[in-house]
Amino acid sequence: MKLRGTLGGINLLLEPGDTASSVAQALSPRAELLAAHVTLEVAGDADPAALEAALAAIREAGGTPGRVRAPRVTVTAPTAEGEEGSARTVILPHGVRAGFRGEYRGSVVILGDVNPGAEIVAGGDVIVMGALRGVVHAGYGGKADAIVWARPIASAQIRIGDAVARAPEGGGLGNMKRLEGNEGAELARLQGGTIVIEPHR
């Protein structure tokens, strides 16, 4: 992790190897620096939990999270099923619109919203830094320990591994067990073969 001052405030770079605990520990004594406008940059293989820890530290210090940028990141176009590709984490430095379909062998982090009509399929985790309203399938191929994380999860359908949950007409994801909590970040995972959504900080 690197923290540097700029003309517009503070720039915080998250690097591969940074974890939620290491970021929280490094930022704790620097709270006064974070009470500003903070731009976040995310290296290609950064841990999504580290990004959430940085955002939490900025808010607690009274700062304002600015743009989240992904410099030096490879953005892949949707690939055909079965096409050889990298299983590493891919970061999309923007939201995705209706009509977009992306397939990824590894995990995918989306720095924006997944809008209705968009579809994301990943062999690993699906992390959405904005609202998830499109269709996602995490753990494609039967990876039951994959997760879906978004702010919030408001999708008509999500899949994790071989399990699927669909929203009934005019409702939310009613056949998923939703644990009560705040309306911010939410985490979906498999528990006993059922998709469970719970608040996540």
Side-chain angles (χ1 to χ4, degrees):
M1 186 196 78
K2 294 177 182 172
L3 192 64
R4 68 179 186 272
T6 66
L7 291 175
I10 297 293
N11 187 291
L12 174 61
L13 172 65
L14 297 177
E15 302 174 296
D18 287 335
T19 64
S21 60
S22 70
V23 167
Q25 185 175 6
L27 292 179
S28 178
R30 298 181 175 133
E32 71 281 354
L33 294 176
L34 299 178
H37 183 83
V38 183
T39 298
L40 288 142
E41 290 189 5
V42 184
D45 293 323
D47 183 352
L51 178 58
E52 180 60 24
L55 288 168
I58 293 165
R59 291 189 189 101
E60 286 173 13
T64 305
R67 292 190 307 159
V68 179
R69 298 189 303 203
R72 303 181 300 278
V73 170
T74 301
V75 179
T76 62
T79 58
E81 187 174 344
E83 181 179 336
E84 287 299 317
S86 171
R88 67 185 179 87
T89 299
V90 174
I91 296 180
L92 299 183
H94 50 73
V96 294
R97 298 179 179 177
F100 177 91
R101 177 180 167 84
E103 296 184 15
Y104 308 92
R105 292 187 62 192
S107 297
V108 60
V109 178
I110 299 156
L111 303 183
D113 296 334
V114 175
N115 289 309
E119 184 175 359
I120 302 292
V121 179
D125 303 330
V126 177
I127 309 294
V128 182
M129 296 311 298
L132 169 57
R133 297 187 182 92
V135 174
V136 299
H137 186 170
Y140 178 78
K143 189 172 184 289
D145 61 345
I147 64 163
V148 175
W149 187 100
R151 302 173 60 92
I153 296 173
S155 176
Q157 174 182 295
I158 68 172
R159 292 176 180 257
I160 299 177
D162 296 324
V164 61
R166 292 185 183 88
E169 298 237 352
L173 283 165
N175 58 341
M176 276 192 297
K177 182 180 175 188
R178 180 179 292 271
L179 303 182
E180 293 301 320
N182 63 36
E183 297 298 319
E186 294 180 307
L187 173 71
R189 59 186 169 182
L190 277 179
Q191 288 185 2
T194 300
I195 295 176
V196 174
I197 291 183
E198 56 192 345
H200 189 257
R201 295 189 177 206

